[in-house]
Amino acid sequence: MRKIFFLFTLLFCTITFAQKSDTTLPDTEHLIRVWGLVKYKHPNVSRGGYDMDQEFLKAYTNVQKLNTKEELNTFLIQWIKQFDSSKRVVKKEEFKGNEDKRFKGNARFEWIDDDSYNAELKGILTALRDNANVGEYYLGLHSISGFLKIENERALPDFSNENESHRVLFLSSFWNTMRYANVNIYLTSTPWDEVLTTFIPLVKDKKGKDFEYLKDELSAALNDSHSDYTTSKYIIDNSKYYPVFRSELVNDSLVITSLQDKDIAQKENIALRDVIFSIDDVSVKEYIANKFTKYMSCSTPSYLKHYLKYLFPLVNDKQKLALGIKKVNGDIIKTEVSLFALEELGKLNNWAFLSKEDKFPIIPQGIGYYNLDKATPKSVKEIFKNFADKKAIILDLRNYPRGISESDVPKYLLPEKRRFLDLLEWSSPAYGEWGQKGAITMVADPFVTGNKNKNYYKGTVILLVDHNTASKSEFMAMAIQQAPHCVTIGNQTSGAVMNRMPVIVKDGTRIDFTSGGAFYPNDRAYSVQRNGIKIDHIVPEQATGYNSYSVIQYAVDWAKENVLK
């Protein structure tokens, strides 16, 4: 009798398990994908007729109770149909305009063909996919600028990261917003569909501080230098103590470039030009990978240097770090350094700078050099007046000029107007379109620079860039590169050119992303997002024998050989 009972129990569990596992995708993933499609593509929902956060929470509770794909199909069909009405219906419509202007790289709807869905559900989902009768309650275009606008994304009033359904809603809302609004989402290192699959079990499992850290990982998955999550708990928790030195990441090492207190540094055997190769007995490369990379969103590897320049090294509650260092004379040492809270660090003011030790390159008579960091329209005018007879001008854009616009420099460099950027802009949920819309284009095209100018500078323009060339700086760089004789020298830029767009997420914080795609005219194969601007000559970086002015020296040497000969 006991054997019969055991066999019956085993058979029952096997059947139940088989029924629950009869769906190709996990039930939660089905709901997230269908909810996003309904939210952004349904003719009534996309006009804001429903509280879709509450609809998700109710549906999530019900989906957890489903056991078979038949139950799943029945539930999803009924759930979608509740939003239907005779007032606004699904309408299939061909794309209005030239088909070659439409961008379909983010229109990833293969999931609709999932084996879990029956013919009726597939038909409903396909009709929503192709629906052209879409409202702009959540996503739309500004009538003046033509840029994307995201409206009516709001926090969940009682959000708690201790509540599983709230956490899953957080993921669903953000993931779908990026799927349907972010034209650059096809560029992520991990395909965005895989991000969802990976994060669902993590979001279900992690709460409290672990969930807060997971949010940083989700932001980092965008691979977008504009997605520096300013309310990051990970950054806050790991920014308690700082060393008295600043450093630059060079290849897989850190070079000490400044000291905030020379006396403390000397006591702890730290000096300018020291090369740090290990931290707490692991390599710098491994330390950075474990401590930073997964939590920080960067379009390009070089942009991580921008973070580390200001934040390195972040530690939790530790006030000591063990460093492996290669000294200037070649000696290999280990030393322990102290770290200080910000208020303590602020009291230290006994500085030493590597840039003051290194000799600025001698600029030959036929070459001009100008750092654009503090430039103003007036100073730019003076520079081009003074440098008019130079055979080459070095323009240093390894910074973020705040006093000039993208047109202030090119107007002295171009003989006529030229387009410098081809825009990929959002056009409808999951689709993009080449070229900007909006009334402003009738007044002035923001991606055309220069004017008719017979007195333009006719020498060689040498443009310097690196990881500090970010966002607006990259935009300026692309405009300057339109000069008839422009050579770009340096290292990879940040790879985030277009406008920064904030999205309010369900806990009330915001995550930013780059709202448009930037390309060079006539080159849609090269995305500046994720790659940075095009560079003609990469300057090799070297930790041993590091020189603060190596990029400028390279530019001077290149000009001597190619321009002044």
Side-chain angles (χ1 to χ4, degrees):
M1 185 68 181
R2 292 179 62 187
K3 288 184 178 179
I4 295 173
F5 177 79
F6 174 76
L7 290 172
F8 176 80
T9 302
L10 180 63
L11 179 61
F12 176 80
C13 292
T14 303
I15 293 172
T16 302
F17 178 78
Q19 288 177 331
K20 186 66 177 178
S21 302
D22 204 15
T23 54
T24 305
L25 296 173
D27 290 347
T28 300
E29 187 164 345
H30 288 301
L31 176 62
I32 289 174
R33 289 180 181 275
V34 171
W35 179 81
L37 182 64
V38 169
K39 178 179 178 179
Y40 292 109
K41 296 283 283 182
H42 194 285
N44 296 305
V45 177
S46 61
R47 286 175 167 82
Y50 298 86
D51 185 337
M52 290 306 290
D53 291 348
Q54 293 303 320
E55 293 293 341
F56 181 91
L57 295 175
K58 289 186 291 185
Y60 182 70
T61 300
N62 290 321
V63 164
Q64 305 311 301
K65 303 173 184 177
L66 304 178
N67 291 308
T68 67
K69 68 179 182 181
E70 288 77 15
E71 291 178 1
L72 176 70
N73 278 269
T74 299
F75 173 80
L76 291 176
I77 290 169
Q78 292 174 348
W79 186 77
I80 296 170
K81 284 185 175 180
Q82 72 173 313
F83 304 115
D84 295 345
S85 73
S86 58
K87 183 178 179 181
R88 298 188 185 96
V89 297
V90 172
K91 295 179 181 178
K92 185 171 182 178
E93 190 174 305
E94 296 299 323
F95 173 62
K96 293 179 179 179
N98 298 324
E99 188 63 29
D100 63 352
K101 289 184 66 178
R102 199 177 201 196
F103 180 76
K104 302 178 182 178
N106 295 316
R108 302 296 306 273
F109 294 104
E110 294 87 349
W111 60 273
I112 291 176
D113 292 324
D114 190 271
D115 290 339
S116 308
Y117 302 151
N118 61 26
E120 182 182 1
L121 181 55
K122 286 182 181 180
I124 292 171
L125 297 176
T126 300
L128 287 176
R129 180 197 67 186
D130 299 334
N131 175 44
N133 186 14
V134 178
E136 295 189 356
Y137 183 77
Y138 296 108
L139 301 174
L141 292 172
H142 285 285
S143 58
I144 302 299
S145 69
F147 290 134
L148 170 71
K149 63 179 180 180
I150 298 179
E151 297 182 336
N152 300 307
E153 288 293 347
R154 298 185 176 93
L156 188 68
D158 59 346
F159 181 88
S160 169
N161 71 18
E162 297 290 327
N163 185 318
E164 178 184 311
S165 62
H166 289 187
R167 298 194 303 270
V168 177
L169 171 62
F170 182 103
L171 173 63
S172 179
S173 179
F174 181 70
W175 186 87
N176 275 298
T177 300
M178 293 300 99
R179 161 57 70 217
Y180 289 96
N182 187 348
V183 295
N184 293 311
I185 203 65
Y186 72 101
L187 294 169
T188 56
S189 294
T190 301
W192 199 237
D193 290 317
E194 291 182 24
V195 170
L196 178 61
T197 304
T198 300
F199 271 81
I200 286 173
L202 298 174
V203 164
K204 285 187 173 185
D205 180 59
K206 296 180 182 295
K207 55 187 176 181
K209 185 176 78 171
D210 291 336
F211 175 73
E212 296 302 313
Y213 286 6
L214 194 64
K215 284 160 50 182
D216 293 332
E217 294 183 48
L218 183 59
S219 172
L222 290 177
N223 299 123
D224 188 342
S225 298
H226 275 150
S227 297
D228 43 2
Y229 189 31
T230 54
T231 51
S232 161
K233 182 167 177 55
Y234 180 82
I235 296 296
I236 293 169
D237 285 353
N238 289 273
S239 300
K240 294 181 179 178
Y241 303 107
Y242 294 80
V244 296
F245 61 83
R246 303 292 181 273
S247 57
E248 286 280 351
L249 180 63
V250 180
N251 299 321
D252 293 329
S253 302
L254 289 153
V255 179
I256 296 179
T257 56
S258 66
L259 306 171
Q260 192 163 344
D261 192 294
K262 292 182 286 187
D263 294 335
I264 295 176
Q266 184 177 20
K267 180 181 176 181
E268 297 186 340
N269 207 359
I270 291 291
L272 295 173
R273 299 186 196 281
D274 280 353
V275 177
I276 302 170
F277 60 83
S278 71
I279 304 165
D280 285 346
D281 297 319
V282 300
S283 69
V284 168
K285 181 179 181 180
E286 183 180 349
Y287 181 87
I288 290 173
N290 293 337
K291 204 161 188 64
F292 299 100
T293 306
K294 69 185 287 189
Y295 299 106
M296 294 182 175
S297 190
C298 299
S299 301
T300 63
S302 69
Y303 193 66
L304 187 61
K305 298 179 182 181
H306 187 75
Y307 272 123
L308 301 183
K309 183 176 182 178
Y310 299 102
L311 299 176
F312 179 82
L314 305 180
V315 293
N316 291 306
D317 296 323
K318 296 177 62 173
Q319 291 184 270
K320 295 285 184 180
L321 277 180
L323 304 181
I325 290 178
K326 182 180 180 181
K327 306 293 284 186
V328 175
N329 63 7
D331 289 347
I332 304 296
I333 69 163
K334 286 195 172 183
T335 188
E336 188 176 67
V337 298
S338 304
L339 292 95
F340 302 86
L342 279 178
E343 56 268 24
E344 297 176 90
L345 198 66
K347 298 174 184 177
L348 304 177
N349 193 28
N350 186 16
W351 286 90
F353 297 93
L354 186 57
S355 57
K356 291 186 177 180
E357 288 190 0
D358 289 337
K359 292 187 66 176
F360 193 90
I362 297 173
I363 308 296
Q365 191 67 29
I367 301 174
Y369 170 84
Y370 184 53
N371 190 326
L372 291 167
D373 189 25
K374 305 297 183 184
T376 64
K378 182 178 179 180
S379 68
V380 170
K381 181 178 180 180
E382 285 295 315
I383 281 295
F384 279 99
K385 179 180 178 181
N386 296 336
F387 288 170
D389 61 342
K390 302 290 186 182
K391 291 188 175 181
I393 297 177
I394 299 172
L395 296 177
D396 200 334
L397 192 49
R398 296 173 299 159
N399 42 60
Y400 192 93
R402 299 182 184 277
I404 57 174
S405 72
E406 74 284 349
S407 63
D408 285 321
V409 175
K411 69 182 181 182
Y412 298 100
L413 301 177
L414 304 180
E416 58 191 3
K417 289 184 178 182
R418 287 190 180 177
R419 176 168 295 279
F420 65 92
L421 187 146
D422 193 4
L423 175 70
L424 174 60
E425 187 58 282
W426 182 91
S427 63
S428 63
Y431 291 93
E433 190 171 336
W434 297 99
Q436 190 182 20
K437 299 179 180 179
I440 195 172
T441 58
M442 301 178 68
V443 179
D445 190 329
F447 308 120
V448 170
T449 191
N451 291 295
K452 279 196 172 294
N453 180 10
K454 64 180 180 180
N455 296 318
Y456 72 97
Y457 177 72
K458 299 177 178 62
T460 299
V461 177
I462 302 174
L463 180 64
L464 306 187
V465 298
D466 69 3
H467 57 275
N468 295 302
T469 310
S471 191
K472 176 184 175 182
S473 298
E474 292 177 292
F475 194 68
M476 288 184 177
M478 293 177 73
I480 291 171
Q481 286 178 321
Q482 292 303 309
H485 307 289
C486 181
V487 175
T488 305
I489 290 174
N491 290 287
Q492 189 180 44
T493 62
S494 84
V497 181
M498 295 309 300
N499 294 2
R500 178 189 289 259
M501 171 68 66
V503 175
I504 303 300
V505 287
K506 291 307 158 190
D507 66 351
T509 60
R510 57 176 258 185
I511 298 177
D512 294 357
F513 70 101
T514 306
S515 65
F519 297 78
Y520 286 92
N522 304 315
D523 189 358
R524 293 179 179 176
Y526 184 91
S527 170
V528 180
Q529 185 81 13
R530 294 303 317 272
N531 290 301
I533 70 166
K534 292 182 178 180
I535 299 175
D536 299 301
H537 300 281
I538 300 291
V539 179
E541 296 184 292
Q542 188 173 320
T544 302
Y546 178 86
N547 185 335
S548 305
Y549 303 115
S550 60
V551 175
I552 300 174
Q553 186 63 63
Y554 186 103
V556 168
D557 293 342
W558 184 90
K560 284 180 179 178
E561 184 175 343
N562 295 278
V563 180
L564 299 184
K565 285 180 68 174

